[in-house]
Amino acid sequence: MKKFVLPSPLKTIDITMNDSAVIRLRQHGNIEGPRLILAHGNGFATDAYFPFWKLLLQDYELILYDQRNHGQNPRHDNIKHHDISYFVSDLEAILDNIQAIFGHKTTAGLFHSISAVTSIWHALSNGWRWDALILFDPPLVPSIGHPLNVIAKNFELMLSDWSKNRPERFPDPQTLATQFSKSKSLSRWVSGSHELMAKSILREDTESRDWVLCCPPEGEAQVYKTNSELDLCPGFGTLKGPLKVIASDPDDPNARSPGLVNRALHEEFGHPYEAIPGATHMVQIEKPKAAAKIVTEFFKEIGFGS
């Protein structure tokens, strides 16, 4: 079995939000290249997307971060603040801090799932701050009356019910990795990704000596519920970009609502879009080479960084 070893960051900076939540920025890659800012899906962590972002290290400067209460960030006491509206205000602070710390340069956002939804809401409420934005399978919920509204809404609510009852403690990361590897829905991940994900979303409790989810299940559930109630699709159609959606395969027998919705939104709004054949929602971990190829080809198409 393959084991991934993450490179040490060139720089690590902890920044503090207005409500005292701490978010850790990590700089990787080629500091002479254009800048890519990456974040992850609900309940996950950006380190776990290494099979994808390692393919970008040679040509780009990468700034990685985790949403509050995820990954490398410490837990924030106020669970009510663990929600998408705070992710949006965090993103504004993150962009300001990145420019202040690392300088101004050509910048793209590469965001998966709930961080993609966050970036859409941020662009609609704070204005367009990108030279390019790439969204991996955003789980948008179409407006009431759309043929996919109920399907998408119910899918988010199902995930909310599941996550609030998920186990929070494990004797070690391998236990969780084994559970991941036995899950039919996660069976397409590249070798070594189940172990990397488990290590990235757990931290050791030094008192009990067991391992605890970085993201509290109550918070994860809250995010899914909030997403089920958002109505961002009409606004999404107004974003001019440069923007591209890289989606899961809507024709896959196991296709879920994000793949179906992203195709429908492309047909409605006409923004650049590409579905990866045979990929489910975790497109960057299932098909990292295909995802990276689409990213770099889009950058060439729009002249990003040139």
Side-chain angles (χ1 to χ4, degrees):
M1 180 187 66
K2 186 172 183 176
K3 289 188 178 181
F4 290 107
V5 179
L6 272 64
S8 298
L10 302 174
K11 286 185 181 179
T12 300
I13 307 288
D14 287 351
I15 59 175
T16 304
M17 304 296 102
N18 289 336
D19 63 350
S20 79
V22 173
I23 290 179
R24 175 166 294 173
L25 307 178
R26 292 96 69 191
Q27 182 193 50
H28 289 271
N30 178 3
I31 62 173
E32 301 300 325
R35 177 175 294 148
L36 310 182
I37 301 175
L38 290 82
H40 57 86
N42 192 22
F44 297 121
T46 306
D47 282 350
Y49 293 70
F50 179 62
F52 163 73
W53 58 258
K54 72 172 185 172
L55 303 173
L56 305 171
L57 289 170
Q58 181 175 339
D59 296 322
Y60 303 96
E61 176 200 21
L62 275 56
I63 307 294
L64 314 181
Y65 79 92
D66 302 306
Q67 306 286 7
R68 56 172 58 210
N69 289 325
H70 287 81
Q72 294 194 24
N73 302 323
R75 281 271 184 107
H76 185 246
D77 292 336
N78 194 338
I79 193 66
K80 292 182 180 179
H81 289 191
H82 183 106
D83 211 353
I84 307 175
S85 63
Y86 286 90
F87 296 174
V88 171
S89 59
D90 291 347
L91 180 54
E92 180 71 4
I94 287 164
L95 291 175
D96 287 342
N97 275 273
I98 286 174
Q99 290 183 349
I101 295 166
F102 300 104
H104 292 253
K105 65 160 61 174
T106 301
T107 300
L110 276 66
F111 298 119
H112 174 245
S113 196
I114 208 64
S115 66
V117 171
T118 297
S119 69
I120 294 168
W121 190 353
H122 173 269
L124 293 173
S125 59
N126 294 72
W128 185 263
R129 296 192 61 180
W130 306 100
D131 295 294
L133 189 59
I134 295 182
L135 309 177
F136 290 93
D137 218 33
L140 292 165
V141 176
S143 302
I144 293 174
H146 190 283
L148 292 173
N149 168 262
V150 173
I151 292 173
K153 182 181 182 70
N154 287 345
F155 183 63
E156 295 300 303
L157 291 175
M158 179 273 290
L159 291 172
S160 180
D161 289 341
W162 167 81
S163 57
K164 73 178 63 172
N165 297 311
R166 69 182 300 189
E168 188 172 5
R169 291 179 174 269
F170 301 85
D172 50 53
Q174 187 57 49
T175 301
L176 180 56
T178 300
Q179 292 181 14
F180 284 155
S181 66
K182 292 181 178 179
S183 169
K184 183 178 180 181
S185 64
L186 309 181
S187 62
R188 305 182 194 187
W189 291 13
V190 295
S191 177
S193 293
H194 302 100
E195 289 72 21
L196 178 60
M197 179 65 77
K199 292 177 181 177
S200 301
I201 66 172
L202 293 172
R203 65 169 53 97
E204 189 174 15
D205 184 329
T206 55
E207 293 185 5
S208 66
R209 306 300 295 177
D210 55 6
W211 292 72
V212 185
L213 288 173
C214 301
C215 175
E218 180 185 354
E220 183 178 359
Q222 186 167 260
V223 168
Y224 284 125
K225 185 175 187 303
T226 297
N227 192 44
S228 75
E229 299 166 349
L230 294 181
D231 188 21
L232 298 178
C233 289
F236 175 62
T238 70
L239 297 178
K240 301 303 182 184
L243 175 153
K244 183 160 189 172
V245 171
I246 301 175
S248 57
D249 185 352
D251 295 317
D252 188 89
N254 297 311
R256 298 297 185 96
S257 63
L260 302 174
V261 170
N262 281 303
R263 178 170 61 184
L265 294 178
H266 167 67
E267 292 171 349
E268 181 175 353
F269 298 123
H271 53 267
Y273 158 94
E274 190 165 345
I276 297 181
T280 65
H281 185 57
M282 301 300 289
V283 291
Q284 294 142 289
I285 298 178
E286 294 178 351
K287 304 282 187 176
K289 291 181 180 179
K293 185 173 185 288
I294 295 171
V295 169
T296 55
E297 287 180 347
F298 180 63
F299 285 162
K300 290 178 182 177
E301 179 185 332
I302 64 173
F304 174 78
S306 60

